[in-house]
Amino acid sequence: MTSRPQKGVSTSRGLIGLLLVAVPALLLAWMTIWPIISGVASTLFPRAADGTQRLSFDNFTTFFSDPYSVANLEVTIWTCVVTTAILIAICIPLALYLRFAKGTLATYVQTMAMFPMFVPSIILAFAFIRVLGPNGSVDMVLNALALPKFKSPYLTVWGPVIGLVWDNIPLTVLILVSGLGSVTDQAVEAARDVGARPLALFWYIILPRLWTSIAVVISLTMLGLFSAFTLPYVLGPASPEMMGPFMQRTFSALRNPDMAITQATIVMGFCLFFGLFYVYSIAKNRGK
């Protein structure tokens, strides 16, 4: 006969488990949740000159009535959408190749795809300037070949897009390759045996099992892009600018912490949407 665990033992194990997660949970609440609540509250309930606090949307009205602030928000959304679309367009074929290809070449391709993960953003920005910037390597090669000078994407809206795409390739490829793990070789071979062409094979066999991974990629990429600072600050234009550099400049250069918190609250609203989308995608996948 098997002995049942005593009630006291199970209770003590439960308390030990709670103690193990208590420290990280408290740190999360102290360093993340509380600053968020405090920032949102200070934005919605600003302190008046007489010291009173009441519900007010004046900070948001000021933000959305300022053309420069709205232009910065628009360029941030545009950069996030374009970067995510380019990432998916590049990384899906790359993930398909890494999933089904065999041999040494596939190993080299995987190594190159993971390489940006180990390159700091500031080094990436410096390499971008040296290669694609004015009088960079590409410019010098074109000049040596007597070809027309090309317009550098440096300090334009395409500068952060190129840098952020390259910086986010490793994580995107890893997520998509993980999702392709649910596509068995037997399913692919069975589809080929009945005459499925490559496009039909991708559309009806592979893509339905990849939607969850694509949703995760969209969510995590959007969350990272909205909070990006280094690459947009170094590679992007001075006007309009993405929200990351804009918030930092509002706080440090303009000495306006209230408006900086308002900008952060607006960005957090977009991030909250994609965070909920991420949770929904994971929950839907587990419910299958």
Side-chain angles (χ1 to χ4, degrees), residues 258-274:
D258 293 337
M259 187 52 59
I261 295 175
T262 302
Q263 296 163 5
T265 302
I266 293 172
V267 170
M268 188 175 58
F270 286 94
C271 294
L272 178 63
F273 170 79
F274 289 104

Side-chain angles (χ1 to χ4, degrees), residues 113-129:
M114 297 298 107
F115 179 72
M117 185 181 295
F118 307 101
V119 179
S121 298
I122 190 65
I123 303 300
L124 168 60
F126 177 76
F128 177 98
I129 296 172

Side-chain angles (χ1 to χ4, degrees), residues 228-245:
F229 174 78
T230 302
L231 293 176
Y233 179 77
V234 177
L235 303 179
S239 176
E241 55 188 334
M242 289 185 65
M243 292 301 295

Side-chain angles (χ1 to χ4, degrees), residues 19-233:
L19 290 175
L20 290 175
V21 301
V23 175
L26 290 175
L27 287 175
L28 177 65
W30 176 43
M31 302 182 67
T32 303
I33 298 178
W34 170 246
I36 291 175
I37 296 175
S38 176
V40 174
S42 64
T43 302
L44 294 176
F45 297 91
R47 188 177 299 275
D50 57 359
T52 59
Q53 290 180 289
R54 62 187 65 182
L55 179 63
S56 173
F57 296 97
D58 290 344
N59 289 327
F60 296 98
T61 303
T62 302
F63 178 89
F64 287 105
S65 61
D66 179 26
Y68 183 72
S69 299
V70 174
N72 291 337
L73 180 61
E74 289 176 349
V75 77
T76 301
I77 296 174
W78 180 88
T79 302
C80 293
V81 172
V82 172
T83 301
T84 304
I86 295 176
L87 263 175
I88 293 176
I90 292 175
C91 293
I92 285 181
L94 186 58
L96 289 171
Y97 174 79
L98 294 177
R99 166 62 181 84
F100 296 105
K102 309 294 182 183
T104 307
L105 181 59
T107 303
Y108 288 135
V109 172
Q110 182 177 6
T111 303
M112 293 300 297
M114 297 298 107
F115 179 72
M117 185 181 295
F118 307 101
V119 179
S121 298
I122 190 65
I123 303 300
L124 168 60
F126 177 76
F128 177 98
I129 296 172
R130 296 298 298 170
V131 175
L132 295 177
N135 301 319
S137 301
V138 174
D139 209 0
M140 294 175 62
V141 170
L142 293 177
N143 183 54
L145 297 176
L147 295 175
K149 185 181 181 68
F150 87 114
K151 184 178 180 180
S152 173
Y154 178 53
L155 298 182
T156 69
V157 292
W158 287 102
V161 170
I162 297 173
L164 292 169
V165 166
W166 197 82
D167 194 40
N168 285 276
I169 283 177
L171 179 61
T172 304
V173 170
L174 287 174
I175 295 174
L176 293 178
V177 170
S178 176
L180 287 172
S182 61
V183 181
T184 62
D185 295 336
Q186 291 80 1
V188 174
E189 293 299 331
R192 287 174 176 171
D193 290 341
V194 297
R197 296 183 177 181
L199 184 58
L201 179 64
F202 172 76
W203 187 260
Y204 294 104
I205 302 297
I206 296 176
L207 191 59
R209 303 185 184 183
L210 200 59
W211 278 122
T212 301
S213 297
I214 294 176
V216 171
V217 165
I218 293 174
S219 302
L220 296 182
T221 302
M222 284 291 188
L223 290 173
L225 295 179
F226 266 102
S227 61
F229 174 78
T230 302
L231 293 176
Y233 179 77

